[in-house]
Amino acid sequence: MSFDIGSVVSHFKTDGEMIHAEPFGCGHINDTYEIYCKREPKPPIRYILQRINSEIFDVKKLMHNICLVTDYLKERIAADGGNPYESTLTIIKTTDDAAYYEDEEHNCFRIYNFIENTVSYQRAASAKVLENAGRAFGHFQKLLFDFDASLLYEIIPDFHNTAKRFEAFEAAVREGIPERVASAMGEIGFVRARKGYCGEIVSGLLSGKLPLRVTHNDTKLNNILMNPDTDESVCIIDLDTIMPGSLLYDFGDSIRFGANTALEDETDLSLVNFSMEMFEAYTRGFVGEMGEYMTDAEVKLLPFSCILMTYECGMRFLADYLTGDTYFKTTHDTHNIERARNQFKIVGDMEEKLDEMKAVVEGIRKGV
Ligand code: ADP
Ligand code: GN1
Ligand code: MG
């Protein structure tokens, strides 16, 4: 699939003509570019251009969700005295006033303002980064507390329904590439031995024991832009998966990524460990912001949610490996199974430290 970036950009109301474009960032889903546009005599202005992954998303529904949520957030941020053009994403409309542009080959593109003077960390260099990330996602939950969830499409149905993910995983084992399945029996066994985890949060949502909220659903650290000088959060990005869900998905997924002492695709598993220090820091930030809005049932499940989300993500990487790497972007043949092993190492570590995690949550909760 080929496209001319300059011609794509000419369909948007950018401030000036495009002069430069480069691939950007480390996302696994969309094709992201930084683009510069000329605005003489002022210096060029930068934007984010994305070819949206339309294999995964119904783009019309996706952009409907993102427009509603960013409009709502802008109002809330302005009412709190913040800068709505820095603290949330701004969609640059097409010359036809649409939120995205579809070319003749059905590639779909969107442009966001580039949030300057920020970084997106692949790993937390200090506990302060994670505490600020926790505060940022807690605040994000709080801002969306009154947002009417029924206005949003469930953009990827059953996205964090781990029980359904397990069924899909078993189908991948049955129908996957035979050599890959044969080579992954150890990892497959790891997933199967933990089948009992799968129903925990889903059944709580179904029975009403856990509240359904509007959640981000992809809360890894590189989906926050931070100020590199202060490590304060500036803007939460990657709003593709905003939809009704559980607060536990957001909490657990942040810990999955942020409390890993290594990168998500580190293959030297001796470097891949679960950091209690990072867990404690994130929990302090998140509960500090969101504590009074959380139910006891949610608080009780915070530690377990970290295990569940890490297990689920590892299972998704492994299923993608078995079926030929069609979902996550990969750079080499064994990339997805390496990521799965990495996640499973963290799962094992968290299982050992579950009591300690519970004690940390209790301590922080009492202090709120
Ligand atoms: P994906 O869904 O593929 O993860 P993201 O929307 O997260 O795509 O974007 C990929 C990366 O691009 C982010 O991790 C971040 O580094 C960068 N990025 C995305 N949007 C912006 C923005 N508006 N300003 C600056 N950087 C951005
Ligand atoms: C994907 O889009 P990105 O790279 O931020 C994925 C998440 C996974 C994550 C694993 C829409 O996130 O669910 O947890 O990779 N996003 C989607 O790194 O599937
Ligand atoms: Mg992302």
Side-chain angles (χ1 to χ4, degrees), residues 169 186-188 190-191 194 269 272 310-318 337-351:
F169 168 77
E187 290 77 12
I188 292 169
F190 184 96
V191 173
R194 288 160 180 79
L269 295 185
V272 177
T310 312
Y311 166 74
E312 181 190 278
C313 192
M315 175 159 70
R316 291 173 62 200
F317 285 142
L318 184 55
I337 192 167
E338 289 161 9
R339 288 169 171 154
R341 287 183 189 127
N342 176 309
Q343 300 298 292
F344 297 155
K345 171 78 193 293
I346 296 289
V347 169
D349 243 19
M350 287 176 179
E351 287 172 338

Side-chain angles (χ1 to χ4, degrees), residues 24-30 32 48 50 89 110 112-115 118 120 218 222-223 225 237-238 240 329:
F24 193 78
C26 298
H28 293 339
I29 301 297
N30 299 300
T32 302
I48 284 284
Q50 290 185 314
L89 291 169
R110 70 182 163 210
Y112 287 127
N113 65 333
F114 195 103
I115 317 273
T118 60
S120 152
D218 188 1
N222 68 12
N223 286 330
L225 300 179
I237 58 166
D238 203 344
D240 292 338
K329 283 178 195 272

Side-chain angles (χ1 to χ4, degrees), residues 31-206:
D31 295 337
T32 302
Y33 303 85
E34 58 173 344
I35 59 163
Y36 286 87
C37 293
K38 187 163 72 178
R39 322 179 278 178
E40 280 163 359
K42 287 195 275 179
I45 180 171
R46 187 153 57 148
Y47 297 94
I48 284 284
L49 167 74
Q50 290 185 314
R51 184 166 76 103
I52 305 167
N53 188 329
S54 49
E55 300 278 317
I56 296 177
F57 299 116
D58 175 328
V59 179
K60 196 169 171 198
K61 291 181 175 170
L62 173 77
M63 293 312 290
H64 163 94
N65 281 0
I66 293 180
C67 287
L68 280 186
V69 169
T70 52
D71 284 351
Y72 182 85
L73 288 174
K74 279 189 193 311
E75 273 180 29
R76 294 294 316 266
I77 291 163
D80 291 346
N83 177 354
Y85 295 95
E86 186 179 82
S87 303
T88 192
L89 291 169
T90 300
I91 296 158
I92 308 297
K93 294 276 175 71
T94 68
T95 49
D96 297 334
D97 254 337
Y100 69 97
Y101 165 70
E102 182 168 354
D103 72 9
E104 278 159 13
E105 289 179 58
H106 303 294
N107 294 303
C108 293
F109 300 89
R110 70 182 163 210
I111 293 186
Y112 287 127
N113 65 333
F114 195 103
I115 317 273
E116 294 289 353
N117 307 314
T118 60
V119 280
S120 152
Y121 291 121
Q122 303 309 320
R123 205 154 64 85
S126 70
K128 185 178 166 206
V129 169
L130 263 227
E131 180 165 352
N132 288 340
R135 193 170 298 129
F137 276 117
H139 187 67
F140 188 80
Q141 274 282 311
K142 221 156 74 175
L143 285 179
L144 291 172
F145 189 73
D146 284 326
F147 186 92
D148 180 358
S150 70
L151 299 175
L152 296 178
Y153 291 107
E154 189 183 3
I155 195 71
I156 302 182
D158 297 314
F159 189 59
H160 284 310
N161 182 331
T162 319
K164 290 261 172 74
R165 291 282 184 191
F166 187 87
E167 284 171 23
F169 168 77
E170 285 293 359
V173 175
R174 278 194 308 277
E175 293 150 23
I177 301 163
E179 303 78 61
R180 287 195 174 194
V181 175
S183 73
M185 287 319 289
E187 290 77 12
I188 292 169
F190 184 96
V191 173
R192 286 180 167 158
R194 288 160 180 79
K195 185 180 177 189
Y197 288 160
C198 294
E200 190 81 29
I201 293 178
V202 196
S203 61
L205 286 171
L206 277 176

